[in-house]
Amino acid sequence: CLAQRYEEALKQEIQAYLDWAQPQLDAGVPENQLTLFSTEELSSFLSMIAELYPMVLSMNLSRNTLYLMEAGQFINSSLPKYGSLSDFLNSYRKTVKEENWVNVTEGENPRAQLMNAYRQGKRRLAFLDQQEDDAGRLRQVETNLLMYENSKGEICGFALMRPLDEPEQKNGRE
């Protein structure tokens, strides 16, 4: 299957980077001084990720900012492409069936909930929800949120999202 080949290639790329970077970090080289990837390599890497996860978000939870790096056709076009993470989460919530929202975060301040999860040691969160697309069809969507602390001590992350099914009309008919 093509998706499995992309996933395996992606795992190999990540492992190769870790094999290269970890000895340098262990030797005391600060992370922000490692030469990571060329622009071409980063672009290729993002393209590979986007084959598996058509929607890729970069976010800084501490600063409340977000940038939509890749957007597949399955998302609702009303979602902001950059700006406030809180605004994005509020817009996203309107596209998700209410009973699924609890699966994403509990409470009225999802950004604070995500930051608390990070402080409690959670670095990866996975969610399943049903999102309404522009045509009013419901899509089963998988989200993987990977969080980390940058060199400034800010909590950041990447959200990788993909549809898991074919769109379904709200009334259950295609």
Side-chain angles (χ1 to χ4, degrees):
C1 171
L2 183 60
Q4 289 173 328
R5 288 198 310 259
Y6 275 115
E7 189 168 353
E8 187 56 38
L10 183 58
K11 286 178 183 176
Q12 290 174 2
E13 289 290 324
I14 291 170
Q15 189 59 55
Y17 167 72
L18 293 173
D19 292 344
W20 170 82
Q22 194 60 55
Q24 295 183 63
L25 294 169
D26 292 345
V29 175
E31 184 178 351
N32 63 355
Q33 291 183 10
L34 292 179
T35 303
L36 300 178
F37 301 102
S38 70
T39 302
E40 180 181 354
E41 288 170 318
L42 285 174
S43 178
S44 296
F45 186 68
L46 182 58
S47 293
M48 286 179 69
I49 289 173
E51 288 292 325
L52 295 172
Y53 295 94
M55 185 173 178
V56 179
L57 299 167
S58 173
M59 61 189 76
N60 184 317
L61 286 90
S62 298
R63 291 187 184 198
N64 192 30
T65 59
L66 144 109
Y67 174 69
L68 183 61
M69 299 173 74
E70 287 285 334
Q73 297 301 314
F74 76 94
I75 68 165
N76 189 300
S77 64
S78 69
L79 297 174
K81 308 297 186 251
Y82 56 88
S84 161
L85 176 58
S86 294
D87 289 347
F88 177 87
L89 291 171
N90 288 332
S91 294
Y92 185 78
R93 184 175 187 169
K94 294 174 186 172
T95 71
V96 174
K97 289 180 82 171
E98 190 61 32
E99 61 265 24
N100 292 126
W101 183 250
V102 175
N103 292 333
V104 178
T105 60
E106 303 264 343
E108 292 302 313
N109 188 343
R111 180 176 151 251
Q113 295 292 328
L114 294 172
M115 292 177 71
N116 287 335
Y118 180 86
R119 291 183 187 114
Q120 294 169 8
K122 295 178 182 171
R123 301 298 182 260
R124 179 181 179 266
L125 301 172
F127 315 111
L128 288 176
D129 60 44
Q130 287 186 304
Q131 181 191 24
E132 186 176 324
D133 68 12
D134 288 333
R137 299 172 300 194
L138 294 175
R139 301 293 306 265
Q140 185 77 20
V141 177
E142 172 191 49
T143 300
N144 286 284
L145 176 60
L146 309 166
M147 296 184 288
Y148 65 96
E149 188 172 315
N150 69 14
S151 60
K152 298 175 185 172
E154 299 167 335
I155 300 171
C156 300
F158 292 96
L160 309 173
M161 302 170 76
R162 66 179 169 183
L164 295 178
D165 60 2
E166 292 300 315
E168 176 183 311
Q169 291 293 350
K170 273 199 241 185
N171 63 8
R173 289 180 272 143
E174 186 55 62

